[in-house]
Amino acid sequence: PPLQRLEKAAAVTSHFLRWRRAPGKGVMAEVILQRVARMGMAVAGGTAAAQYCLFSVDVGHQAVMFDKFRGGVVHEQYKEGTHPRIPFFQEPHIIDIRAQPREIKTITGTKDLQQVSIYLRVLSRPMPEKLSNIYQDLGLNFGDRLLPSLCNEPLKAIVAKYSAEELLSKRAEISAQLKNEINRRAGEFNMLLDDVSITHLVYGKEFTSAVEAKQVAQQTAERQEWVVKKAEQEKKAAIIRAQGEAEAAEIVTSALKECGSGVIEVRRIDMAKEIAGTLARSRNITYLPSSAGGGSNLLLGLNAGQS
């Protein structure tokens, strides 16, 4: 029960107080406390020493050491892992050596004097063995300082060799030339380029309007060409039709010469059958035969729209 627990805790506390008040026991307690305090201070000092005397380099990074004793940047490689340093005299700088993407925009002219805005995507990284030289010459933000000046001049020089239409049709070829030229110049500054590609091409309003007008004119010309071909085919069809009718007339003339009016009577009977069939299918025509076989038969036209 809770009451018994309180009584037991009170008994333990009173026993500890009596033991401390006993002769010689207080001195022993103080010695134990001093030892514990010294151990705590040693642990705290070791932790602080490890924090100030060691540094860690993550994966994909490399450190450059600035040593005040040696008077500048130390040309040594500090790769992934934990490394020692002298506090207050050595200062490590951690640099990412993985490939970093950057987008560069520039406005330049083509071979046919058209203004175009080009967006260039560059995947670059520093040479790990030359990292101390890069830091010493360009600092930590070496990519922002170096890439715009490296890319603009080769980009303008290569684009000036092509027309505005060739920038679209020969895009892969232009990207390969840019990669070779920029990579050559970047090697002078201890940089490597893994990829260079053109991501966007934005032409001026005048060129865009001219392209649209050209497309409309081309579609109109193609339509006119189709109309001309259609007229030629209709002309050929009319000629063939006329030739067929002429041959049919010759055949009828020769038949009349050979058989007399019998051909005309056959044609008349066929026409009468056709007319009779058409009238029989009409809803407004009624056939009234003559009564008792005398007189003539009647075809009565009924107009449904009149009363």
Side-chain angles (χ1 to χ4, degrees):
L3 183 59
Q4 294 181 359
R5 293 179 181 176
L6 292 175
E7 292 177 354
K8 188 176 180 180
V12 172
T13 303
S14 61
H15 178 72
F16 176 77
L17 292 175
R18 287 196 302 270
W19 175 80
R20 186 176 180 182
R21 292 173 183 175
K25 300 297 183 178
V27 177
M28 185 179 298
E30 292 179 359
V31 170
I32 294 174
L33 292 176
Q34 289 178 0
R35 290 180 179 178
V36 171
R38 290 174 182 175
M39 291 178 62
M41 293 177 63
V43 172
T47 304
Q51 182 178 0
Y52 286 99
C53 297
L54 299 176
F55 68 96
S56 298
V57 180
D58 295 334
V59 177
H61 294 72
Q62 191 166 314
V64 174
M65 184 68 71
F66 179 77
D67 195 335
K68 296 180 181 179
F69 281 131
R70 302 183 187 180
V73 179
V74 179
H75 295 278
E76 296 179 5
Q77 296 183 9
Y78 295 87
K79 298 183 179 180
E80 296 91 342
T82 303
H83 305 275
R85 67 163 180 169
I86 301 175
F88 308 108
F89 294 99
Q90 290 183 339
E91 182 180 356
H93 297 278
I94 310 299
I95 300 176
D96 192 351
I97 60 174
R98 295 172 294 185
Q100 299 290 333
R102 287 179 176 84
E103 188 176 64
I104 299 173
K105 176 186 176 183
T106 184
I107 300 176
T108 183
T110 60
K111 184 178 180 180
D112 51 356
L113 303 180
Q114 296 293 334
Q115 292 294 322
V116 57
S117 298
I118 300 180
Y119 292 82
L120 195 67
R121 185 179 183 272
V122 179
L123 199 62
S124 63
R125 57 187 175 88
M127 294 181 181
E129 65 275 7
K130 300 292 185 179
L131 196 62
S132 57
N133 295 332
I134 296 175
Y135 173 74
Q136 190 173 8
D137 296 337
L138 301 173
L140 293 176
N141 57 343
F142 51 87
D144 297 334
R145 292 184 178 182
L146 187 62
L147 289 178
S149 60
L150 286 180
C151 297
N152 279 326
E153 187 61 29
L155 180 61
K156 293 182 179 181
I158 293 176
V159 170
K161 300 178 182 178
Y162 297 89
S163 63
E165 295 181 357
E166 290 176 343
L167 290 180
L168 298 175
S169 60
K170 299 180 179 180
R171 194 166 183 169
E173 178 182 346
I174 297 173
S175 297
Q177 293 184 13
L178 285 173
K179 181 179 179 180
N180 295 332
E181 182 63 23
I182 297 175
N183 209 355
R184 182 187 64 80
R185 298 188 62 187
E188 301 175 1
F189 297 91
N190 303 317
M191 293 285 293
L192 296 176
L193 299 182
D194 294 334
D195 182 60
V196 176
S197 59
I198 299 175
T199 57
H200 298 288
L201 291 173
V202 180
Y203 294 97
K205 295 182 179 179
E206 295 80 5
F207 180 77
T208 304
S209 301
V211 171
E212 293 178 355
K214 181 179 178 181
Q215 292 294 328
V216 172
Q218 185 176 0
Q219 293 177 1
T220 304
E222 291 178 355
R223 179 174 178 79
Q224 294 298 328
E225 183 179 357
W226 177 80
V227 171
V228 171
K229 291 182 179 179
K230 181 181 178 182
E232 292 178 354
Q233 294 297 328
E234 290 178 352
K235 180 180 178 181
K236 292 180 181 179
I239 293 173
I240 294 173
R241 191 182 304 110
Q243 291 176 354
E245 292 177 355
E247 292 178 359
E250 291 179 359
I251 294 173
V252 172
T253 302
S254 61
L256 288 174
K257 290 180 180 179
E258 294 177 359
C259 303
S261 61
V263 177
I264 298 176
E265 293 296 331
V266 172
R267 290 291 183 89
R268 184 181 297 171
I269 293 171
D270 292 338
M271 184 61 68
K273 288 182 179 181
E274 185 179 353
I275 294 173
T278 303
L279 294 176
R281 289 191 297 270
S282 179
R283 295 181 180 181
N284 298 329
I285 302 297
T286 303
Y287 175 68
L288 298 177
S290 62
S291 59
S296 60
N297 300 326
L298 295 179
L299 290 174
L300 183 61
L302 300 177
N303 190 353
Q306 296 179 0
S307 60

